[in-house]
Amino acid sequence: MALFPAFAEEATNEVEDSSRELDWLKNKSFKTGDALSLHNRFAEKSKDRQTQRESSVGKDVSYAEQEEEQEEEESNLPPKKKKKKSEKKRKKKKKHKKKSGRYSHSSGSDSDTIYPSQLKKEEEENGSQLAPLASRFSWLDDLQTPTEQLFCVDCKADTANWTYKSLYRGDVARYKRKGSSSLGLDPHRQGVSWEESESNKKQKGRDKKKSADRYFSTVSRQLLRSEAPVLAIPTIPECSDANSPTSFLPLRDDEEKKGGQMGDRVQTSWVNPLGVYDSSTALWLQGKGQQVQTEEEKQDTQTKQGAVLLAGRTEEFNRRLREQPEDTQLWIEFIRYQDELSATVFGSGEEQQGSDLAERRKSSYRAVLEKKLSIAERAVETNPSCIDLQLERLKICQELWEPSLLAKEWKKLVFVHPNSAPLWRKYLLFTQSYFSNFSVSKVNSAYGKCLSTLSAVRDGSMVSHPVLPGLEEDMLDIFTQQCHFLRQAGHSEKAISLFQAMIDFTFYKPDSVRKMSTKQQVEFFEPFWDSGEARVGEVGARGWKAWMQQQEKGGWLQPNPEEEEEEEEEEEEIKDRSQPRWTVWLDVETSREAADWLPWRPDKAKGQSEEDCEDPDRQVLFDDIGPSLICLSSPELQLRLLLRFFSFLGLPVDSVLSAESCQPDLLLENLSLLTKGNDLCHPLTSSDLPNLGVDSVGHMTTLQGTRKWVGLGKHGERFFTNVFSMVQHVLPAQHRAILSLSWMQYEKLKVLRCLCGSNKKRLRSQGKSSKRVAKQLLKEPDNRSSLVLWREYAHLEWMLGNFDEARKVFSTASALGGAKGLTSPYLCELCLLWAQLEVEDWAGSQREGLSDVTTSPAVCVLTRLAEGTFSSSSSSSSQSLTPVSILKARRSYEQTLTADCLALDQNIHNLEVNRKGEGDLLGEKLRLRGLVGCYALFQYLTMGIQAANVVYSQARERMEELHHKLTLDKQLNSDREADLASTDGSQPGADVVHLGRQWINRLASECEEIAVQQAGLLKYHMGRNVFPLATLRQMLTSTLSTWSSSAPLWSIYIQVENRYHSAGRARRFFHSVTRDNKRVLPRLFAIVAEQQRKQLVDAAQRSCNHDAALPILPENGLSNRIRGLFENTIATELGSHCPLLWRMYMNFLVSEGKVDKAKGIFYKALQNIPWAKGLYMDAVQLFPEHLQEFVDLMTEKELRLRLPLEELDILLEE
């Protein structure tokens, strides 16, 4: 078939040879029939188009004439003007017809040419689109015949649909602009003109046409036709050698490109022969400097760069949130990023002064809040099940909404997520810290509602929500928080009753009700509580189970009345009536708080009834405690309940087993936590007893007030003894040993408090009673071989000055476990304390040195420990040592410590897999403090401080590395357990997670204790020898960066840094720690450090002027710094709810003479901690003229008031 159809027949008649020669001219895919059909169709189509064009022109002419006639009839214009108008219209119509249509017919035959290939393409396109989409909107009801495609293409999309996520026009925001300011612009250098002039409106259409140059426009085509500029090749310098390699093109300076010098060629010179240096480098080589910019230009440049960076970051946030709307953490980061953005945008106007600046800051702050709220609402709408986003939203609303509306939103959120304990904890904190709606009864009922709801979730009564892992642990934390809330509000009786009921409800539960739900068990418990039967801690108490069994048998079992002790005569409450009224009120209120913290019960033997109670608030009803009772199934949690009760009473407890609450900053009230420091006489053993900074029950006084009794008082001690003796019978031996240790440490603490005082008679009587209690505990069969209790008893004897008796106790106790040697951690801790006491005692009598090491009692004790050769008949200094025995002991210490450090990881793994945590609650396999301390002290006494420091550093490094690794692993495992619990509705690994968390906390406690030992030893050495301070400082800074909640380490750090007047290093370190730490404790120590430094400076300024006292000290800037630290701390989320912080701030301002500001801080504190009764008592002491106002406020908020002012007036009159 020929390539040209017109000569197809001639091609067939030619010779085959010639056809073969012309094969390359033939198109085999072409068919003659297709060409003929296309030709016929083209002819028909051209005829149709010609007729259509003629008819359309005729219609246009006739239509124009009709319009002309209508205009002549309607208007009275002259006919010439009408003709001109019609002619203009005809011309416009003709021009429009020429432009319209797919093919133009006005330019001759070239424009009329239609190629067959175009017809074929149209046919294929029409065939492929069987059911084209409509091009106009129409309602479905208006269509006469339904089509297959019911949708149309919207060529002009409405951007509001994408912006507002809705098709409803009412969702599109309408607003009227007020003012000419714009968010995000610098008001001094930038602005937006919102008004548009008439000339701009007229030129609007022209500007659009000018800006709409497309690739086919005339301007674009001219640009394409123009030749590209040829890059100029730099010339070779004349001075350069011809043989030198110059075959390269030097790159242009990027800065010149950015500055607009795109076409400039790099200038070459003798300084820059290759053209590779930028302009600033070339000027520097010539010895010239750049043009100096002014401050305003630099500020403008920085502002522009910052605006560009912020805009880019905002755009990045928007893009990521559009792609990942389910990323809740990204939403929270974007919300918090608005504060940084506003600080950058609005921070440039600081040169404004006065009210203008204040108003601008206030308006900008509210604008940022509203912007954050809109983002938070959008995030919650996208992720409605995320609790963190809901909390972030309510946190923003707290500064925008009314209290009633905010409380309603909180209740709604808690109703939607009733199984989330962290959410309940946040809600309870909001309830007890919002002053306008606060009252003690409301908050107490909120706690009851929370615990009863969580109990229903735990029992499975609330089927709609699954049980989350660790729910019982969270419930116990909330229960403890409720008890401390009542204690801080002055309602100690209700708090004690809660613990009494909880102990009865947990340990003395009848078997017949154990399988019931918590609500049903509480209903059965109520008759026992109201029956008048003796409760836990009272004389003759038998428990709920015994009372239930007696009820089932029938009848009542009256306990045998014990002999009544002689009642002490009541002392007169007001000792000095000449004192001011507010002083008398504080003294009586404090004394009654210390004496009457137990709930009042009618004594049936004396014939008393409930009406005989002088103070009705001392009686506790079941409605106040019933909803808060919970079930604890785990033995570890039951032990934790008892330990927290002991801690509530003021006893030292194991911090790992008691597991401090999730909000410890709410409980900080005791100033001794910050000001006590290490005892200079006993630097090695002064941190033996922990100080949590929490006031015990009955100790409600001002910030600087003193404790009335060293313990709980006579009635309190009897109450605690009854509780201990009653609980012992229902606990396993391991738990009894832990409680006995707590009691022994409590007796030692009371002796230590007497030592701090100057009353020798009280010290003698307290020593006798404490020794009697210690011997009574050691006589118990389970405690006779307890090295921990023997260690505490020996220390008690040493504190009382009985050194020989204490050495005998140490020797006897070490003989009990002497065969175990270094493998027993409790024996190592006992020998460490013994050796430390010997070192402190020996240092007071003579100076130790390396020459008399063999005669040192401490070295003798440590060597025998390594050898395992203790005997009950030997004493510490009975015989001298040989150098060989010292070398053997050092080798034993080194091998044992290396093996134990390597086995730490495996021990923790075995404890978790085998779940043997119940038999090793004290973490015996993880307790390395005794072994590390003994080895370090041994190295210090035999080799020097450097060797001891190396031992401590290596042990800490290994343990901290393991702790960091385990923390990351447990975090991943807990997330997986939470996911399983949320999907399966069960908690399969809750116990394993609880045990793992316990071992991690135990390891952290060991690391912290070893660090305290190391700091104490370094400080002890510095006090007796010349030693660089840098070693101790470096050790403290590295440790506090990891364990920032260690009060003993902070106390040592402050003591070290305050010896020097240069405070810059300490301030930088405090700033680095507090910048990324949410806890309040480091910030409190930073404040105390500045206060102590100010006292030193003030004392130095007073001592400079010997002639006359300075009436007013010159300002040194420390007062403003301390105020700034206070303000920054109370601005944090945890600091705003810390009672100790607010009370310290008030006292500091009053000490500076700023009483009015202190009063303002008091009213500001009421908005955050209205439940703290100690705050009101401080206010009475600092502002005594407002006593009536403060007492009325306490009465309004239902805080416990033990001495009304009316009663005070009666007492003063008597």
Side-chain angles (χ1 to χ4, degrees), residues 7 186 429 436 453 883 1205:
F7 303 96
D186 186 1
L429 180 60
S436 57
T453 305
L1205 294 183

Side-chain angles (χ1 to χ4, degrees), residues 829-878:
E829 292 176 13
L830 183 142
C831 293
L832 174 62
L833 178 62
W834 188 4
Q836 287 174 339
L837 293 172
E838 292 287 357
V839 169
E840 291 175 350
D841 181 59
W842 198 32
S845 57
Q846 61 180 1
R847 296 186 63 85
E848 67 274 16
L850 298 178
S851 58
D852 51 2
V853 166
T854 56
T855 60
S856 171
V859 176
C860 183
V861 170
L862 297 174
T863 305
R864 287 177 182 169
L865 171 64
E867 296 174 349
T869 57
F870 278 112
S871 61
S872 58
S873 60
S874 62
S875 62
S876 63
S877 58
S878 59

Side-chain angles (χ1 to χ4, degrees), residues 302-314:
Q302 294 177 357
T303 305
K304 292 178 181 178
Q305 292 177 354
V308 171
L309 292 175
L310 289 175
R313 194 173 174 190
T314 305

Side-chain angles (χ1 to χ4, degrees), residues 40-264:
N40 296 331
R41 286 177 55 196
F42 167 69
E44 293 176 0
K45 199 162 188 178
S46 59
K47 291 179 181 179
D48 294 341
R49 293 204 172 191
Q50 185 68 23
T51 55
Q52 287 179 4
R53 187 178 60 180
E54 293 175 355
S55 61
S56 61
V57 171
K59 288 181 181 179
D60 292 339
V61 173
S62 62
Y63 181 75
E65 291 176 354
Q66 289 178 4
E67 285 187 5
E68 186 178 346
E69 291 175 359
Q70 290 178 1
E71 289 179 358
E72 288 177 357
E73 293 175 359
E74 292 176 358
S75 62
N76 298 322
L77 294 174
K80 291 183 180 179
K81 292 184 179 181
K82 294 174 187 175
K83 289 180 181 179
K84 288 181 181 179
K85 285 186 179 180
S86 62
E87 289 175 1
K88 287 180 181 179
K89 286 186 178 180
R90 285 199 194 98
K91 290 179 182 179
K92 287 182 181 180
K93 294 278 184 180
K94 289 179 180 179
K95 288 181 181 179
H96 179 69
K97 286 297 178 181
K98 288 176 184 177
K99 293 180 182 179
S100 63
R102 180 165 181 176
Y103 310 106
S104 178
H105 301 278
S106 61
S107 58
S109 60
D110 293 339
S111 61
D112 293 340
T113 304
I114 299 176
Y115 296 99
S117 58
Q118 295 177 352
L119 293 173
K120 192 170 185 178
K121 286 182 181 179
E122 288 182 2
E123 183 179 2
E124 290 177 357
E125 291 176 359
N126 295 333
S128 61
Q129 298 178 357
L130 296 177
L133 294 175
S135 60
R136 292 184 180 180
F137 289 100
S138 60
W139 296 103
L140 186 62
D141 298 337
D142 298 339
L143 295 178
Q144 298 178 358
T145 58
T147 59
E148 295 182 1
Q149 295 290 342
L150 302 180
F151 301 96
C152 67
V153 178
D154 188 5
C155 299
K156 297 181 180 179
D158 188 2
T159 57
N161 295 338
W162 173 259
T163 305
Y164 299 96
K165 300 294 183 183
S166 174
L167 297 176
Y168 174 51
R169 61 181 180 82
D171 292 339
V172 180
R174 288 186 175 182
Y175 61 91
K176 292 182 179 179
R177 175 168 297 280
K178 294 183 178 180
S180 60
S181 61
S182 178
L183 186 64
L185 297 182
D186 186 1
H188 297 281
R189 303 176 182 87
Q190 297 171 327
V192 177
S193 177
W194 303 103
E195 295 181 357
E196 199 171 37
S197 62
E198 295 295 330
S199 59
N200 291 338
K201 291 180 181 179
K202 292 179 180 178
Q203 295 177 358
K204 213 172 190 180
R206 302 178 192 174
D207 295 340
K208 286 184 178 179
K209 291 179 182 179
K210 289 180 181 179
S211 62
D213 288 339
R214 301 289 301 278
Y215 64 93
F216 49 79
S217 63
T218 307
V219 179
S220 301
R221 287 200 301 270
Q222 290 177 357
L223 183 63
L224 289 173
R225 293 194 193 99
S226 62
E227 296 181 0
V230 181
L231 295 176
I233 300 177
T235 58
I236 301 174
E238 297 178 358
C239 60
S240 62
D241 190 5
N243 297 327
S244 62
T246 56
S247 57
F248 63 89
L249 293 177
L251 301 176
R252 288 176 178 164
D253 186 9
D254 292 338
E255 297 296 330
E256 293 180 357
K257 291 181 182 179
K258 292 180 182 177
Q261 301 175 3
M262 296 289 293
D264 294 344

Side-chain angles (χ1 to χ4, degrees), residues 428 440-450 452 482 624 627-628:
L428 293 171
V440 174
S441 58
K442 286 183 180 179
V443 177
N444 193 47
S445 61
Y447 273 103
K449 177 67 175 176
C450 165
S452 59
Q482 180 184 6
D624 296 331
S628 301

